[in-house]
């Protein structure tokens, strides 16, 4: 037999699950325990004390013979049963008051004489007084035991015998139904995860801090109301006009923690300063809540299972009540038994008593009462389940009572679990809602960020860039640390992959700040901060994935000089994504667009009158429409790189002020249109590198003012003499072509300072090359040159000489006469350098303080 504790263990659940047990579930659990006790008590009593006591019922004739003995002193009654008509009976049953005796094969005369011997009246009276204990049945003890057992199974109703077991089975089914949603694998894991997260959210120091902040804000508002001051709205959107930075609402001051300074309460220091470990745990909780919500909100299995088990319990209650009520009256103390064992006992009818009848009836009535209460609670549960939509949960009350107006409403299983928790304690949901708020998460990030990135740490990350400016690069942070704006001497600020970047009014302290980089960082600014940036910012880099990521206030920086836009400006269906108007950028001089354009955005023409440099770097998308270029009459520098151009665009010939043209990395094969460059009187630099140009037309001579010509990485096989008629040419780059010969006309370029012919097939250097005495850079690497003429000594201004990758066996000793050439500017194999005379090497190893320029 099992104990009560073993059966009650079926009703045990993890203690942490108690928050998901509303009062009705708890009450039904206690009722189930009481029903278990009833079942086990009844079963125990039945196994130990339950019995039936039966007595035979005499025939009516016998009863009439016994009637004269009304005083209760009748001694015996004899009933004879014979099988024949002889003098002797084969069997005779004599029934006495208490001790039954059965004799077989006794002569009837002998039995009769022994039973009916004449006695004296006095002796007969004494015998009656001696045997006056009851009516005799002539049944022995074994026969009584036998008939008692027979009548227990035949006379008693089945419900009286199996009542304890039925109660036990029904109770176990009810217990299993109540807790099945805690055990079913597909719901158990979600419930366990939910309870775990809920407990951590409830105990998190960040929850206490957030709610304390709300209390402080409410207290401040109440104070303002009492003094008659007009209070501001508690929840202010980050922008009153989306896309209009001038109307941006200050975010740092609204979401900051001013209350800690205004309210010197005892709790504030512990609330304001969040331990780093607690901050990391809180951030992990935000991530867990976000993932759990996404996992649970897409199904309603928990809700359906709870409804299903409640319906099962209700039907179970109705079933139990219906059939149990019919058996209440069947439990009685007296029963009549007809065992049909007359050949063994001699009697056909017995009157029996059931000693446990009254106890079982009381227990049954108690059980019916308990099951009725249980059933009414089940009906109430069903009413609660369908009275309100439990698959929707609103945090409206929490939003009204706290500063977190962005807490979203939830649905499905997530909503149902929160409804269940509310039946336990609504404070759990309130504290849990803190971790559903993005505002709360952003505040946590701000506190953790400022705690980690102190002024001293930021100062260590400040470096000097190539322009010798102080630069700070912040990468993949949760926000912009407040201490950044205390670096008042910073020139360049780079913010990369900071999605929640906010620029407060403190940026006005950074008087030296002129360059700002926003790489995938849609920064929001306060009104005061925007005013400062509008007046002081000169250079802005914006890198984005979608054009919507470009902050709206960017288009209103009226004093901006340089704007760099890097990102996707073309949709999937090849339609142009328009930029907002650039009309307000009245002082913009340089516009750099790195994207996938098919045409030049029309809004760029808004800045055309004052734009001096336009750079378009495509990702290989063909730039087709270039008519907008004609309006940019003041553009001095134009770069169209990687635009899949096959010819030089005609619109370029209208740019009368153009000084530099760069058509790098296109698909240009012929440049016959180059003759039209004669109209561009100011053109001094032409870059046609990384194309597919095969030859240079002689019409290039019409570009009289050309000073720099870049034709590297093409398919040139020769240099026409026309190139060397450009007397103003100072830089010529024909590297990485298939040129085999340097024309002697190169000596005509008396102003040539930089000559690059690396990666060709040149094997001989003409002596006329060394007439270009102004050469500073001479790149001859990766050719087939076998010797360097001694006349190289004529290049007195040479500072960079590249000879590596040729077929040289020695270097001329006259290299030492190149006064400005040093070992750092000589690119050659080590063994060739070591073969130079010692005095030459000594000269080349000397340091010089003579200034020279490697650029143009």
């Amino acid at each position: 037999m099992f104990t009560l504790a073993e059966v009650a263990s079926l009703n045990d659940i993890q203690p942490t699950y108690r928050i998901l047990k509303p009062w009705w579930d708890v009450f039904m659990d206690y009722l189930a325990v009481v029903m278990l006790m009833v079942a086990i008590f009844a079963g125990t009593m039945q196994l130990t004390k339950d019995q039936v006591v039966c007595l035979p019922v005499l025939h009516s004739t016998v009863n009439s013979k016994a009637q004269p003995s009304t005083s209760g002193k009748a001694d015996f009654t004899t009933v004879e049963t014979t099988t024949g008509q002889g003098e002797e009976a084969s069997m005779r049953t004599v029934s006495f008051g208490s001790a039954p005796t059965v004799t077989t094969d006794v002569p009837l005369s002998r039995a009769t004489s022994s039973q009916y011997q004449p006695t004296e009246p006095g002796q007969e009276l004494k015998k009656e007084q001696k045997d006056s204990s009851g009516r005799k049945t002539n049944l022995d003890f074994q026969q009584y035991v036998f008939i008692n057992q027979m009548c227990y199974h035949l006379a008693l109703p089945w419900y009286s015998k199996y009542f304890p077991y039925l109660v036990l089975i029904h109770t176990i089914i009810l217990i299993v139904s109540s807790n099945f949603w805690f055990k079913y694998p597909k719901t158990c894991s979600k419930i366990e995860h939910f309870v775990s997260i809920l407990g951590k959210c409830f105990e998190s120091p960040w929850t206490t801090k957030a709610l304390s902040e709300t209390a402080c804000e409410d207290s401040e508002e109440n104070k303002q109301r009492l003094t008659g001051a007009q209070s501001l709205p508690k929840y202010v959107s980050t922008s009153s006009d989306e896309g209009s930075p001038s109307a941006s609402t200050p975010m740092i001051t609204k979401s900051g923690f001013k209350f800690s300074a205004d309210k010197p309460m005892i709790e504030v220091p512990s609330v304001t300063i969040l331990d780093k470990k607690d901050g990391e745990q809180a951030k992990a909780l935000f991530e867990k809540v976000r993932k759990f919500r996404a996992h649970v909100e897409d199904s309603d299995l928990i809700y359906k299972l709870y409804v299903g088990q409640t319906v099962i319990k209700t039907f179970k209650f109705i079933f139990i009540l219906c059939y149990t009520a019919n058996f209440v009256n069947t439990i009685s103390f007296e029963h009549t038994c007809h065992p049909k064992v007359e050949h063994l006992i001699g009697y056909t009818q017995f009157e029996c008593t059931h000693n446990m009848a009254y106890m079982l009836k009381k227990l049954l009535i108690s059980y019916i009462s308990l099951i009725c209460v249980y059933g009414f609670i089940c009906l109430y549960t069903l009413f609660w389940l369908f009275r309100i939509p439990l698959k929707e949960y609103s945090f409206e009350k929490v939003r009204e009572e706290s500063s977190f107006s962005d807490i979203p409403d939830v649905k499905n299983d997530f909503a149902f679990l929160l409804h269940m928790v509310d039946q336990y304690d609504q404070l759990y949901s309130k504290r849990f809602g803190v971790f559903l708020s993005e505002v709360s998460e952003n505040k946590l990030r701000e506190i953790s960020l400022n705690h980690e990135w102190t002024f001293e740490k930021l100062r260590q990350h400040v470096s000097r860039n190539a322009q010798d400016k102080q630069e700070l690069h912040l990468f993949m942070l949760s926000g912009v640390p407040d201490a950044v704006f205390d670096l008042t001497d910073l020139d360049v600020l780079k913010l990369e992959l900071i999605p929640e970047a906010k620029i407060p009014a403190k940026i006005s302290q950074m008087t030296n700040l002129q360059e700002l980089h926003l790489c995938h960082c849609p920064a929001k600014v306060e009104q005061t901060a925007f005013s400062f940036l509008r007046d002081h910012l000169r250079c802005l880099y914006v890198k984005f994935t979608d054009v919507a990521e470009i902050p709206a206030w960017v288009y209103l920086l009226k004093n901006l000089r340089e704007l760099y836009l890097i990102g996707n400006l073309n949709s999937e269906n090849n339609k142009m994504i328009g930029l907002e108007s650039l009309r307000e950028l009245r002082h913009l001089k340089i516009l750099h667009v790195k994207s996938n354009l098919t045409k030049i955005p029309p809004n760029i023409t808004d800045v055309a009158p004052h734009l001096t440099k336009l750079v378009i770097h495509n990702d290989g998308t063909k730039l087709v429409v270039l008519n907008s270029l004609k309006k940019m009459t003041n553009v001095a520098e134009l770069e169209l790189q990687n635009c899949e151009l096959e010819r030089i665009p005609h619109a370029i010939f209208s740019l009368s002020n153009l000084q530099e043209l760069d058509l790098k990395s296109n698909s240009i094969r012929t440049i016959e249109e180059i003759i039209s460059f004669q109209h561009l009187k100011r053109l001094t630099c032409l870059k046609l590198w990384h194309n597919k140009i095969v030859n240079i037309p002689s019409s290039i001579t019409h570009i009289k003012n050309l000073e720099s010509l870049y034709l590297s990485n093409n398919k040139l096989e020769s240099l026409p003499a026309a190139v060397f008629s450009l007397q103003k040419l100072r830089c010529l780059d024909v590297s990485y072509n298939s040129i085999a010969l340097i024309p002697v006309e190169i000596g005509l370029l008396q102003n040539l300072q930089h000559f690059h012919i690396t990666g060709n097939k040149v094997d001989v250097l003409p002596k006329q090359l060394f007439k270009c005495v102004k050469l500073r850079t001479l790149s001859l690497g990766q050719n087939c040159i076998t010797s360097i003429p001694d006349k190289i000594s004529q290049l007195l201004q040479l500072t960079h000489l590249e000879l590596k990758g040729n077929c040289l066996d020695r270097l001329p000793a006259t290299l030492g006469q190149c006064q400005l050439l040093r070992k750092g500017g000589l690119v050659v194999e080590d063994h060739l350098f070591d073969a130079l005379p010692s005095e030459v090497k000594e000269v080349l190893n000397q340091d010089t303080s003579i200034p020279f320029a490697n650029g143009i």
Side-chain angles (χ1 to χ4, degrees):
M1 186 65 183
F2 38 78
T3 63
L4 177 62
E6 293 173 339
V7 178
S9 65
L10 296 172
N11 201 29
D12 287 345
I13 59 172
Q14 296 185 19
T16 53
Y17 287 177
R18 66 181 182 275
I19 60 176
L20 294 176
K21 301 282 284 186
W23 68 265
W24 53 83
D25 278 351
V26 175
F27 197 25
M28 284 191 288
D29 287 344
Y30 282 117
L31 288 176
V33 171
V34 175
M35 286 187 284
L36 272 179
M37 295 176 64
V38 170
I40 294 176
F41 176 71
T44 304
M45 294 290 293
Q46 192 176 49
L47 292 174
T48 56
K49 296 185 178 182
D50 192 25
Q51 62 181 346
V52 172
V53 177
C54 299
L55 290 177
V57 177
L58 302 179
H59 297 291
S60 58
T61 55
V62 176
N63 293 337
S64 62
K65 292 179 181 179
Q67 285 177 359
S69 180
T70 57
S71 62
K73 295 184 179 180
D75 294 334
F76 58 88
T77 300
T78 303
V79 178
E80 294 183 358
T81 303
T82 61
T83 58
Q85 296 180 355
E87 292 182 352
E88 295 182 356
S90 61
M91 179 178 180
R92 183 181 61 188
T93 302
V94 182
S95 299
F96 294 93
S98 60
T101 304
V102 179
T103 60
T104 57
D105 299 331
V106 179
L108 181 61
S109 58
R110 189 183 302 175
T112 303
S113 61
S114 63
Q115 295 289 338
Y116 294 98
Q117 287 182 351
T119 57
E120 293 294 331
Q123 294 178 350
E124 184 179 356
L125 181 61
K126 291 179 181 180
K127 186 175 182 180
E128 290 178 357
Q129 292 176 351
K130 183 178 180 180
D131 299 329
S132 61
S133 58
R135 302 179 65 183
K136 305 300 180 180
T137 62
N138 293 333
L139 297 179
D140 59 17
F141 178 75
Q142 293 297 331
Q143 289 174 317
Y144 273 115
V145 171
F146 173 76
I147 200 62
N148 288 344
Q149 293 179 354
M150 285 290 294
C151 290
Y152 181 84
H153 292 286
L154 296 178
L156 286 186
W158 69 270
Y159 195 77
S160 298
K161 295 180 286 186
Y162 301 109
F163 162 70
Y165 307 105
L166 291 175
V167 173
L168 179 62
I169 293 173
H170 292 324
T171 305
I172 291 175
I173 293 175
L174 292 176
I175 290 174
V176 171
S177 299
S178 294
N179 299 299
F180 185 69
W181 69 314
F182 291 126
K183 307 294 184 181
Y184 186 57
K186 290 186 178 180
T187 56
C188 175
S189 59
K190 293 180 181 179
I191 293 173
E192 184 177 355
H193 197 187
F194 173 76
V195 171
S196 174
I197 293 177
L198 189 64
K200 292 177 181 178
C201 292
F202 189 85
E203 298 173 356
S204 173
W206 172 245
T207 312
T208 305
K209 171 178 175 50
L211 295 178
S212 299
E213 174 191 346
T214 299
C216 291
E217 290 179 354
D218 292 342
S219 178
E220 182 64 25
E221 287 186 357
N222 293 335
K223 183 179 179 181
Q224 291 178 359
R225 293 191 187 99
L226 291 174
T227 57
Q230 184 177 2
S231 60
L232 296 174
K234 286 182 68 177
Y235 314 116
V236 184
S237 61
T238 56
S239 176
S240 59
D241 183 10
E242 191 67 28
S244 178
S246 60
S248 297
T249 303
M251 288 172 286
I252 302 298
T253 54
K254 293 297 179 185
S255 61
F257 303 99
K258 284 187 167 183
F259 65 90
S260 61
D262 298 336
K263 295 277 182 180
M265 304 192 314
I266 297 177
E267 296 84 3
V268 169
S270 61
V271 169
T272 303
I273 301 175
L274 194 66
D275 184 74
K276 183 177 180 181
K277 181 180 179 181
D278 294 335
E280 293 298 325
Q281 291 177 347
K283 287 192 286 186
L285 275 178
F286 274 105
E287 186 64 24
K288 286 183 179 179
V289 170
R290 186 161 39 249
K291 291 182 178 179
F292 178 78
R293 180 187 173 191
H295 176 61
V296 175
E297 263 195 319
D298 60 352
S299 69
D300 57 353
L301 179 61
I302 298 177
Y303 171 76
K304 289 180 178 178
L305 190 61
Y306 188 84
V307 172
Q309 69 184 32
T310 305
V311 171
I312 290 175
K313 289 190 292 184
T314 305
F315 280 112
K316 188 71 176 176
F317 145 70
I318 296 173
F319 171 72
I320 294 173
L321 191 63
C322 289
Y323 89 87
T324 304
N326 295 328
F327 292 107
V328 175
N329 295 328
T330 62
I331 300 178
S332 62
F333 180 74
E334 296 179 356
H335 297 277
T336 301
C337 177
H338 299 275
K340 296 181 181 180
V341 289
E342 185 179 357
H343 62 287
L344 297 177
I345 305 299
Y347 295 95
T348 58
Q349 183 177 350
F350 293 86
E351 288 292 333
C352 304
T353 59
H354 185 202
N355 66 330
M356 287 291 296
Y358 294 118
M359 178 63 70
L360 288 178
K361 194 165 189 176
K362 291 178 181 178
L363 290 176
L364 177 58
I365 294 174
S366 301
Y367 175 67
I368 293 176
S369 302
L370 292 173
I371 205 68
C372 286
V373 176
Y374 194 97
F376 285 126
I377 296 176
C378 288
L379 293 175
Y380 174 82
T381 305
L382 287 177
F383 168 75
W384 179 80
L385 287 171
F386 298 108
R387 180 175 60 91
I388 57 175
L390 296 181
K391 291 197 292 183
E392 298 176 0
Y393 188 91
S394 174
F395 285 94
E396 182 178 358
K397 186 176 181 181
V398 180
R399 291 194 291 264
E400 292 175 355
E401 295 177 354
S402 69
S403 61
F404 308 121
S405 59
D406 66 323
I407 300 178
D409 295 337
V410 295
K411 58 183 180 179
N412 289 334
D413 282 345
F414 199 6
F416 176 69
L417 290 173
L418 290 173
H419 280 294
M420 297 295 285
V421 169
D422 280 350
Q423 299 301 316
Y424 181 81
D425 190 349
Q426 292 185 354
L427 184 59
Y428 275 91
S429 298
K430 183 176 181 180
R431 296 175 77 94
F432 189 75
V434 172
F435 288 89
L436 290 170
S437 168
E438 291 186 7
V439 173
S440 172
E441 187 173 7
N442 292 337
K443 287 182 179 181
L444 173 65
R445 289 173 178 170
E446 289 177 10
I447 293 177
S448 302
L449 188 69
N450 294 327
H451 182 77
E452 179 182 0
W453 290 88
T454 60
F455 179 83
E456 292 75 14
K457 184 175 181 179
L458 288 169
R459 175 60 69 182
Q460 295 175 359
H461 284 74
V462 175
S463 60
R464 287 197 172 272
N465 59 15
Q467 291 77 31
D468 198 31
K469 294 181 179 180
Q470 292 197 51
E471 177 182 298
L472 175 62
H473 186 190
L474 299 179
F475 178 72
M476 289 188 69
L477 299 182
S478 57
V480 182
D482 291 341
V484 169
F485 307 104
D486 295 327
L487 301 171
T488 55
D489 55 346
L490 202 63
D491 299 309
V492 181
L493 177 60
K494 292 185 177 181
L495 306 177
E496 185 172 358
L497 292 174
I498 305 179
E500 299 296 332
K502 298 177 183 178
I503 301 178
K506 285 180 64 178
I507 198 173
S508 58
Q509 301 175 172
M510 307 174 70
T511 54
N512 290 339
L513 184 66
Q514 293 189 348
E515 184 175 328
L516 179 62
H517 294 244
L518 302 176
C519 301
H520 301 287
C521 179
K524 300 176 182 178
V525 297
E526 294 183 6
Q527 181 62 42
T528 305
F530 167 72
S531 300
F532 172 80
L533 293 174
R534 180 188 59 194
D535 297 334
H536 292 81
L537 198 63
R538 296 294 181 266
C539 180
L540 177 63
Y541 287 76
V542 182
K543 188 174 182 180
F544 54 91
T545 303
D546 187 86
V547 70
E549 296 178 15
I550 302 178
W553 51 267
V554 168
Y555 304 103
L556 303 175
L557 301 174
K558 64 180 183 180
N559 287 325
L560 196 65
R561 299 292 191 273
E562 302 178 24
L563 176 60
Y564 296 80
L565 299 176
I566 306 171
N568 184 15
L569 289 174
N570 208 25
S571 62
E572 293 181 358
N573 56 5
N574 214 27
K575 291 183 178 180
M576 187 65 199
I577 300 176
L579 293 169
E580 293 192 26
S581 176
L582 304 178
R583 190 174 293 108
E584 296 295 327
L585 306 180
R586 300 167 188 169
H587 295 88
L588 190 66
K589 300 297 182 183
I590 300 175
L591 178 59
H592 184 118
V593 180
K594 186 175 182 181
S595 184
N596 55 346
L597 302 175
T598 57
K599 64 179 181 179
I600 296 179
N603 288 341
I604 291 182
T605 58
D606 294 338
V607 294
H610 44 80
L611 198 66
T612 60
K613 182 177 180 179
L614 175 63
V615 179
I616 296 178
H617 284 200
N618 258 13
D619 61 355
T621 303
K622 190 171 184 178
L623 188 61
V624 180
V625 182
L626 296 167
N627 293 332
S628 300
L629 290 176
K630 296 180 179 180
K631 299 180 181 179
M632 302 180 185
T633 54
N634 291 322
V635 170
E637 297 182 34
L638 176 62
E639 294 185 20
L640 302 175
Q641 297 189 16
N642 205 17
C643 297
E644 287 297 314
L645 300 176
E646 296 179 358
R647 304 182 74 90
I648 299 176
H650 291 279
I652 295 176
F653 306 136
S654 302
L655 306 178
S656 57
N657 291 313
L658 190 64
Q659 297 179 17
E660 181 177 330
L661 175 62
D662 189 349
L663 299 178
K664 181 182 179 181
S665 299
N666 284 284
S667 299
I668 299 175
R669 298 178 181 274
T670 178
I671 53 174
E672 296 297 333
E673 301 88 351
I674 204 169
I675 190 172
S676 299
F677 283 141
Q678 62 183 331
H679 303 295
L680 306 180
K681 303 297 183 181
R682 298 185 179 183
L683 185 64
T684 58
C685 181
L686 180 59
K687 297 181 179 180
L688 299 173
W689 45 1
H690 296 270
N691 280 281
K692 301 176 182 179
I693 301 172
V694 178
N695 57 55
I696 304 173
S698 58
S699 56
I700 196 172
T701 57
H702 293 91
I703 313 177
K704 300 294 185 181
N705 295 319
L706 196 62
E707 297 180 0
S708 300
L709 179 60
Y710 294 84
L711 292 167
S712 63
N713 295 90
N714 278 283
K715 297 183 179 181
L716 299 176
E717 295 183 356
S718 63
L719 292 175
V723 173
F724 305 107
S725 64
L726 302 173
Q727 295 298 318
K728 293 185 179 181
L729 201 62
R730 294 192 300 164
C731 179
L732 177 60
D733 186 356
V734 290
S735 302
Y736 300 101
N737 282 279
S738 300
I739 300 172
L741 179 64
I742 300 177
V744 296
E745 288 84 358
I746 193 171
L748 301 175
L749 300 178
Q750 292 298 309
N751 292 315
L752 191 64
Q753 297 181 10
H754 306 276
F755 181 47
H756 304 275
I757 196 169
T758 302
N760 282 276
K761 301 177 181 180
V762 178
D763 54 358
V764 177
L765 296 178
K767 296 180 180 179
Q768 288 79 3
L769 174 62
F770 304 104
K771 291 182 179 180
C772 303
V773 294
K774 293 184 179 180
L775 274 175
R776 297 181 180 181
T777 302
L778 182 58
S779 299
L780 304 171
Q782 301 180 34
N783 280 281
C784 303
I785 302 172
T786 56
S787 64
I788 302 296
D790 292 338
K791 289 188 176 183
I792 196 172
S793 59
Q794 297 177 10
L795 305 179
L796 300 179
Q797 297 185 26
L798 192 65
T799 60
H800 181 85
L801 176 61
E802 181 185 351
L803 299 173
K804 194 172 185 178
N806 284 283
C807 302
L808 300 175
D809 54 1
R810 67 179 184 85
L811 295 177
T814 54
L815 278 177
Q817 299 178 22
C818 298
Q819 300 175 0
L820 301 180
L821 185 63
R822 293 295 177 265
K823 183 179 179 180
L826 179 60
V827 182
V828 70
E829 287 82 356
D830 292 339
H831 71 278
L832 294 177
F833 181 81
D834 294 338
L836 287 171
S838 58
E839 60 273 12
V840 176
K841 289 191 291 184
E842 184 177 351
V843 171
L844 293 175
N845 285 324
Q846 288 180 354
D847 292 332
T848 179
S849 59
I850 301 177
F852 58 88
N854 287 330
I856 300 174

